Structure formats: C-alpha cells, structure tokens
Amino acid sequence: MILSGKEILKNIESKDIIIEPFDKSRVNPNSYNLTLSDELLVYENDLLDMKIPNETRLIKIPEEGLVLEPNKLYLGRTNEFTKTEKFVPMLEGRSSTGRLGLFIHVTAGFGDIGFAGYWTLEIFCVQPIKIYPNTQICQIYYHDIHGEYDLYKSGKYQNNTGIQPSLMYKDFE
C-alpha cells in the first residue's frame, strides 16, 4: 500500500523516513514534493555506449531560468537527500510538470528499499520549456513492503552527493 501524507509525516518524526531538508508544507495527501537543484548534466556525445563511461558537461540553471531543448536528455537531481530502510521509495512527476510536457524520469522512478541519496532525474521535454532552480518538480511516495528483504547496498549510486550519470558500464566489468 502507498503511505498517506499523514503516515509520511509520522515516519519522518520517527526517523523511518528521512527527507533533508524537509518542509511540512510540501506534504501532499499521499506524497511529498521534491525540488530541482541548480545543476544539470548533459552527455557530450550523441552516441552513448553502455560499456564505457560517457562524458558529461555540467550546466548551471540560473535564477532567471534555463530553456531546455526537446529530444535531449538532461540529468538533474533533487535538492533533497532521502533515506528509508522500511519502505520502498517511488518517484513521479507532478501533474503540473507533466501538463507542460516535462518528464522528470524516463524509466527510473522505482527506488530500492535502503537507498540513501539524492535522486537523479532523467529530464526530457516535448517542446522547449523554461525551468528554474528550486522548483517543486516531482514527488516521492512510499510503499510498504511484505516478506523478508535485503536493503539496497550497491556501490553504484548509494550515498551519492551529486548528479549520477549512468554507471551501467560497471555491469560489464
């Protein structure tokens, strides 16, 4: 089941869910709004290779905004660090974001129980759109889990501090 906003609050108070920084005004009926940092990564090459580290370039999002181009992948991240060892975290775009044709995750909205870090956003737009730093761009929600489980401990993305490009090449090593 999905946790209600009131359950999210209870679990933040008990430290079973960590969202830092936390702002109570961003709690929704069954989710919490996360914000966009002021940086993006873009891949340098048009052809990406799964077996190698692909070069990226950092872009700052100025306060006056940045126009994103359609058919280009931008990697962003949340300002918020999240962690839980009790629930399965999930990430979705906000309906207001989607109605502007802005996708905040191409495929990776599913988190693993035990994940601790900032969420890397796979940002893609249908038409040109101007974005701003610190915008409430997506929402995190939580599922409970039944049965025995292991916590996520992968070294690839755990406890990250910045935007994470694909580390899929490590799967080939």
Side-chain angles (χ1 to χ4, degrees):
M1 290 214 211
I2 295 173
L3 298 187
S4 70
K6 291 179 181 182
E7 275 303 303
I8 291 170
L9 274 174
K10 284 182 192 174
N11 282 280
I12 284 173
E13 290 169 5
S14 69
K15 306 280 190 231
D16 286 325
I17 293 176
I18 295 169
I19 301 174
E20 295 174 351
F22 177 76
D23 178 348
K24 189 176 179 179
S25 71
R26 291 195 265 142
V27 176
N28 300 312
N30 54 300
S31 65
Y32 179 84
N33 288 348
L34 300 176
T35 60
L36 178 65
S37 77
D38 66 350
E39 296 179 334
L40 298 172
L41 280 183
V42 291
Y43 287 107
E44 290 282 55
N45 298 319
D46 291 332
L47 175 63
L48 302 177
D49 188 332
M50 292 179 167
K51 288 189 172 186
I52 64 169
N54 292 281
E55 289 192 39
T56 59
R57 175 174 45 91
L58 186 69
I59 299 173
K60 282 291 226 184
I61 306 171
E63 288 298 318
E64 61 272 11
L66 176 74
V67 176
L68 301 183
E69 303 168 26
N71 299 316
K72 183 175 182 114
L73 179 65
Y74 298 87
L75 299 177
R77 81 162 173 87
T78 61
N79 283 316
E80 295 80 14
F81 173 94
T82 70
K83 179 180 180 181
T84 181
E85 294 185 352
K86 189 174 177 183
F87 303 103
V88 178
M90 304 286 289
L91 199 69
E92 283 293 337
R94 296 178 61 215
S95 62
S96 296
T97 308
R99 291 172 190 184
L100 292 171
L102 183 65
F103 300 91
I104 58 89
H105 71 81
V106 176
T107 62
F110 186 82
D112 286 309
I113 192 166
F115 170 74
Y118 298 89
W119 288 78
T120 294
L121 307 176
E122 304 139 357
I123 301 170
F124 181 83
C125 59
V126 174
Q127 64 191 65
I129 184 171
K130 194 171 195 179
I131 64 166
Y132 301 88
N134 306 310
T135 301
Q136 294 181 44
I137 197 164
C138 60
Q139 55 192 329
I140 191 168
Y141 61 102
Y142 297 90
H143 282 273
D144 58 1
I145 189 167
H146 298 279
E148 293 182 35
Y149 58 87
D150 294 317
L151 295 176
Y152 175 77
K153 294 180 182 171
S154 170
K156 283 191 342 191
Y157 302 111
Q158 186 73 321
N159 293 308
N160 67 67
T161 57
I163 303 168
Q164 299 289 294
S166 176
L167 301 177
M168 184 176 246
Y169 66 91
K170 291 185 176 191
D171 295 346
F172 293 96
E173 294 176 344

